[in-house]
Amino acid sequence: MPRYKVTIEYDGGPFVGWQRQENGLTVQQALEEAVAAFTGETVVVKGAGRTDSGVHALGQVAHFDLATERTTDVVRDALNAHLRPHPIAIISAERAADDFDARFSAVRRHYLYRLSDRRAPPVIERGRVWWVGGQVLAEGPMHEAAQALVGNHDFTTFRSADCQAKSPVKTLDRLDVTREDGEVVVRATARSFLHNQVRSMVGALKKVGEGRWPVAAVGEALEARDHSRSGPVAPPDGLYLVAVDY
């Protein structure tokens, strides 16, 4: 059976997350229904990252198998036709090796988080950025504080109580904070992340940017290995799965 790898963009606002569940429409369900409408086949679409409700993607990756060979252009265009009017687009489709797995073959995942600290609330970007109420953030101290989290650590402080990962130990390759086009942007890269890890780290860094935490507090929170020491979990609005490396 030919295996297809697709790269997907979506607005996570209307969905209750990536993974199929009983309490609402998910991105996975919408994709599986589009495949069924196109091919008449019932397939499982497996994604690289199980994004939460409201989280967006610029480069989510998924794979599925079909009984019949199709050209990659047809797969892309037919799925996009059947995905309307959902805010989901197949950016590209390609044939993959039989042993390719969108989740387990991944070697690196890249996330981006956007914070808006302008005085006026967002209108066009509402639901796609965390507006912090006009509180100007100091991105320099935020970036300095973020460096304490880079490397191999026990991230118990920054994991959700519902996280199902077997170990809280992860290696964070990159955590950069910059100001771009009037927004504060956090970029995180790792092979894998704990549930809510990026949003929890962003919540702590926001407290540094507001001057409510000293720079050293983020590293101290990490070392405490205590979820009660984390900052607030940032809302899903500003989080994007940007790309997955294989």
Side-chain angles (χ1 to χ4, degrees), residues 47-198:
R50 298 175 180 176
T51 54
D52 288 336
S53 176
V55 175
H56 315 295
L58 302 176
Q60 169 75 282
V61 176
H63 81 267
F64 55 87
D65 298 332
L66 295 180
T68 304
E69 183 106 24
R70 315 276 180 149
T71 69
T72 54
D73 285 351
V74 166
V75 170
R76 180 197 61 217
D77 295 343
L79 290 182
N80 282 332
H82 288 289
L83 282 166
R84 300 188 187 111
H86 299 306
I88 304 173
I90 305 300
I91 304 302
S92 65
E94 57 188 281
R95 278 294 308 274
D98 291 345
D99 62 351
F100 172 80
D101 188 289
R103 181 181 178 191
F104 296 110
S105 299
V107 297
R108 200 169 292 107
R109 293 167 172 83
H110 304 271
Y111 281 88
L112 173 147
Y113 198 99
R114 299 168 56 198
L115 303 96
S116 173
D117 59 357
R118 73 180 196 180
R119 292 285 294 177
V123 176
I124 303 300
E125 294 294 283
R126 185 170 58 189
R128 297 181 178 90
V129 65
W130 184 12
W131 180 59
V132 298
Q135 170 68 55
V136 177
L137 300 175
E139 70 274 11
M142 291 173 68
H143 178 75
E144 183 180 353
Q147 303 321 295
L149 304 178
V150 176
N152 182 260
H153 302 289
D154 181 327
F155 283 97
T156 295
T157 300
F158 301 102
R159 79 187 295 195
S160 165
D162 299 325
C163 182
Q164 297 179 355
K166 294 180 180 179
S167 170
V169 177
K170 294 289 179 182
T171 300
L172 186 60
D173 298 319
R174 174 192 185 190
L175 191 63
D176 293 337
V177 184
T178 57
R179 184 170 289 275
E180 302 174 19
D181 299 323
E183 295 179 354
V184 174
V185 175
V186 182
R187 299 182 187 276
T189 298
R191 179 165 189 164
S192 62
F193 292 88
L194 300 167
H195 186 207
N196 278 356
Q197 182 182 346
V198 175

